[in-house]
Amino acid sequence: MAKKLGNNYRLYVGDGATPTEAFAELAGQRDLTPDGSSSEVDISDKNSAPYGLKAPGNFDRKINVTGVLDLPDANGFTRVETLFKTQAPGNFQIRKSPFAAGDKVFEASCYVLNLSTAMPKDGEVTYSFTLTLAAAPSTDTLS
């Protein structure tokens, strides 16, 4: 059985152009952590008492990203920063190696929920941010 390696997956940010949007790789990426969960729906009734029965509700997908700030990156980090400041959704893709447009395993319109930078003494400047869905993904084959 083949092992999956994290280096084979990278985040791309759409430039927002229409009708043909271009996607740029975010520079300096380190960790990319897609997380999926679903809410709970209570389906219990008097017949199931005293047990509470649950079913899965809406699916939630969040993507946490960390990296080293590598500027200039106008179509990557600066685009993410602009989306965060304007609270506007943008299109994002996760591609697997060899990273061509047809290698996407995830694509969706997402909001940038938070954006942090760390500027340690005698260290590199790093970034982290979290994406959350603004619309249902058009592609989601992440495991």
Side-chain angles (χ1 to χ4, degrees), residues 9-97:
Y9 295 86
R10 297 185 184 166
L11 184 72
Y12 286 74
V13 183
D15 65 6
T18 55
T20 306
E21 185 166 29
F23 285 82
E25 182 180 340
L26 180 68
Q29 290 180 56
R30 282 202 173 148
D31 296 322
L32 181 60
T33 310
D35 180 37
S37 64
S38 85
S39 60
E40 292 182 354
V41 176
D42 184 355
I43 59 168
S44 52
D45 58 23
K46 290 179 180 180
N47 290 327
S48 63
Y51 297 98
L53 305 179
K54 306 288 183 189
N58 290 332
F59 192 66
D60 186 27
R61 171 75 76 189
K62 287 194 168 94
I63 300 170
N64 298 303
V65 182
T66 65
V68 176
L69 200 55
D70 187 1
L71 298 175
D73 189 18
N75 297 322
F77 181 80
T78 303
R79 174 81 172 132
V80 169
E81 190 176 40
T82 299
L83 292 169
F84 173 69
K85 289 178 179 177
T86 59
Q87 296 183 333
N91 292 321
F92 291 84
Q93 293 179 345
I94 296 175
R95 297 181 187 175
K96 64 180 180 177
S97 179

